Coordinates of all heavy atoms in Angstrom, one line a residue:
A7 N 22.2 -3.9 -19.0 CA 21.1 -3.7 -19.9 C 20.9 -2.2 -20.3 O 21.2 -1.4 -19.5 CB 19.8 -4.2 -19.3
A8 N 20.5 -2.0 -21.5 CA 20.3 -0.6 -22.0 C 18.8 -0.3 -22.3 O 18.2 -1.2 -23.0 CB 21.2 -0.3 -23.2
D9 N 18.3 0.8 -21.9 CA 17.0 1.3 -22.2 C 17.2 2.4 -23.2 O 17.2 3.6 -22.7 CB 16.2 1.7 -21.0 CG 14.9 2.3 -21.3 OD1 14.5 2.3 -22.5 OD2 14.2 2.8 -20.3
T10 N 17.3 2.2 -24.4 CA 17.6 3.2 -25.4 C 16.5 4.2 -25.7 O 16.7 5.2 -26.4 CB 18.2 2.6 -26.7 OG1 17.2 1.8 -27.3 CG2 19.4 1.8 -26.5
A11 N 15.3 3.9 -25.1 CA 14.2 4.7 -25.4 C 14.0 5.8 -24.3 O 13.2 6.7 -24.4 CB 12.9 3.9 -25.5
S12 N 14.8 5.7 -23.2 CA 14.6 6.5 -22.0 C 15.9 7.0 -21.4 O 16.9 6.3 -21.3 CB 13.8 5.8 -20.9 OG 12.6 5.2 -21.4
C13 N 15.8 8.3 -21.0 CA 17.0 8.7 -20.1 C 16.8 8.1 -18.7 O 17.8 7.7 -18.1 CB 16.9 10.3 -20.0 SG 18.2 10.9 -19.0
I14 N 15.6 8.0 -18.3 CA 15.3 7.2 -17.1 C 13.8 7.0 -17.1 O 13.0 7.8 -17.5 CB 15.7 7.9 -15.8 CG1 15.6 6.9 -14.6 CG2 14.9 9.1 -15.5 CD1 16.6 5.8 -14.5
N15 N 13.3 5.8 -16.7 CA 11.9 5.5 -16.6 C 11.6 5.3 -15.2 O 11.8 4.2 -14.6 CB 11.6 4.3 -17.5 CG 10.1 4.0 -17.5 OD1 9.4 4.1 -16.5 ND2 9.6 3.7 -18.7
S16 N 11.1 6.3 -14.5 CA 10.8 6.2 -13.1 C 9.8 5.2 -12.7 O 9.8 4.7 -11.6 CB 10.4 7.6 -12.6 OG 11.4 8.6 -12.8
G17 N 8.9 4.8 -13.7 CA 7.9 3.9 -13.3 C 8.2 2.4 -13.7 O 7.7 1.5 -13.1
G18 N 9.1 2.3 -14.7 CA 9.3 0.9 -15.2 C 10.7 0.4 -15.2 O 10.9 -0.7 -15.7
Y19 N 11.5 1.0 -14.4 CA 12.9 0.6 -14.5 C 13.2 -0.8 -13.9 O 14.2 -1.4 -14.2 CB 13.8 1.6 -13.8 CG 13.5 1.8 -12.3 CD1 14.0 1.0 -11.4 CD2 12.8 2.9 -11.9 CE1 13.8 1.2 -10.0 CE2 12.5 3.1 -10.6 CZ 13.0 2.2 -9.6 OH 12.7 2.4 -8.3
R20 N 12.3 -1.3 -13.1 CA 12.5 -2.7 -12.5 C 12.2 -3.8 -13.5 O 12.5 -5.0 -13.3 CB 11.7 -2.8 -11.3 CG 12.1 -1.9 -10.1 CD 11.3 -2.2 -8.9 NE 11.7 -1.3 -7.8 CZ 12.6 -1.6 -6.9 NH1 13.2 -2.8 -7.1 NH2 13.0 -0.8 -6.0
S21 N 11.5 -3.5 -14.6 CA 11.0 -4.5 -15.5 C 12.0 -4.9 -16.6 O 12.6 -4.0 -17.2 CB 9.7 -4.0 -16.2 OG 9.4 -4.9 -17.2
L22 N 12.2 -6.2 -16.8 CA 13.1 -6.7 -17.8 C 12.7 -6.0 -19.2 O 13.5 -5.7 -20.0 CB 12.9 -8.2 -18.0 CG 13.4 -9.0 -16.8 CD1 13.0 -10.5 -17.1 CD2 14.9 -8.9 -16.7
Y23 N 11.4 -5.8 -19.4 CA 10.9 -5.5 -20.7 C 11.1 -4.0 -21.0 O 10.9 -3.6 -22.1 CB 9.4 -5.8 -20.8 CG 9.1 -7.3 -20.5 CD1 8.6 -7.7 -19.3 CD2 9.5 -8.3 -21.4 CE1 8.4 -9.0 -19.0 CE2 9.3 -9.6 -21.1 CZ 8.8 -10.0 -19.9 OH 8.6 -11.3 -19.6
Q24 N 11.6 -3.3 -20.0 CA 12.0 -1.9 -20.3 C 13.2 -1.7 -21.1 O 13.5 -0.7 -21.7 CB 12.1 -1.2 -18.9 CG 12.3 0.3 -19.0 CD 11.1 1.1 -19.6 OE1 10.0 0.7 -19.4 NE2 11.4 2.1 -20.3
Y25 N 14.0 -2.8 -21.1 CA 15.4 -2.7 -21.7 C 15.4 -3.5 -23.0 O 15.0 -4.6 -23.1 CB 16.4 -3.3 -20.7 CG 16.3 -2.5 -19.4 CD1 15.4 -2.9 -18.4 CD2 17.1 -1.4 -19.2 CE1 15.3 -2.1 -17.2 CE2 17.0 -0.6 -18.1 CZ 16.1 -1.0 -17.1 OH 16.0 -0.3 -15.9
D26 N 16.1 -2.9 -24.0 CA 16.1 -3.5 -25.3 C 17.4 -4.1 -25.8 O 17.5 -4.7 -26.8 CB 15.6 -2.4 -26.4 CG 16.2 -1.1 -26.2 OD1 16.9 -0.8 -25.3 OD2 16.0 -0.2 -27.1
Y27 N 18.4 -3.8 -25.0 CA 19.7 -4.5 -25.3 C 20.3 -5.1 -24.0 O 20.2 -4.4 -22.9 CB 20.7 -3.5 -25.9 CG 20.3 -3.0 -27.3 CD1 19.6 -1.8 -27.4 CD2 20.6 -3.8 -28.4 CE1 19.2 -1.4 -28.7 CE2 20.1 -3.4 -29.7 CZ 19.5 -2.2 -29.8 OH 19.1 -1.8 -31.1
W28 N 20.9 -6.2 -24.1 CA 21.5 -6.9 -23.0 C 22.9 -7.4 -23.3 O 23.2 -7.8 -24.5 CB 20.6 -8.1 -22.7 CG 19.3 -7.8 -22.2 CD1 18.2 -7.4 -22.9 CD2 18.9 -7.7 -20.8 NE1 17.1 -7.1 -22.1 CE2 17.6 -7.3 -20.8 CE3 19.6 -7.9 -19.6 CZ2 16.9 -7.1 -19.6 CZ3 18.9 -7.7 -18.4 CH2 17.5 -7.3 -18.4
G29 N 23.7 -7.5 -22.3 CA 25.0 -8.1 -22.4 C 24.9 -9.6 -22.3 O 23.8 -10.1 -22.0
Q30 N 26.1 -10.3 -22.4 CA 26.1 -11.7 -22.3 C 26.2 -12.2 -20.8 O 25.9 -13.4 -20.6 CB 27.3 -12.3 -23.1 CG 28.6 -12.2 -22.4 CD 29.2 -10.8 -22.3 OE1 28.7 -9.9 -22.9 NE2 30.3 -10.7 -21.5
G31 N 26.5 -11.3 -19.9 CA 26.5 -11.7 -18.5 C 27.9 -12.0 -18.0 O 28.8 -12.5 -18.8
T32 N 28.1 -11.8 -16.8 CA 29.4 -12.2 -16.1 C 29.1 -12.8 -14.8 O 28.2 -12.3 -14.0 CB 30.3 -10.9 -16.0 OG1 31.6 -11.3 -15.5 CG2 29.7 -9.9 -15.0
Q33 N 29.8 -13.9 -14.5 CA 29.5 -14.7 -13.3 C 30.1 -14.0 -12.0 O 31.3 -13.7 -12.1 CB 30.0 -16.1 -13.4 CG 29.8 -17.0 -12.2 CD 28.4 -17.3 -11.9 OE1 27.6 -17.7 -12.8 NE2 28.0 -17.2 -10.7

């Protein structure tokens, strides 16, 4: 996942909603 709004978000990095782009996943 990519958080294109932040270099790092020390407070919110654990939240799904911090990230605006996602890959398709790998098993």
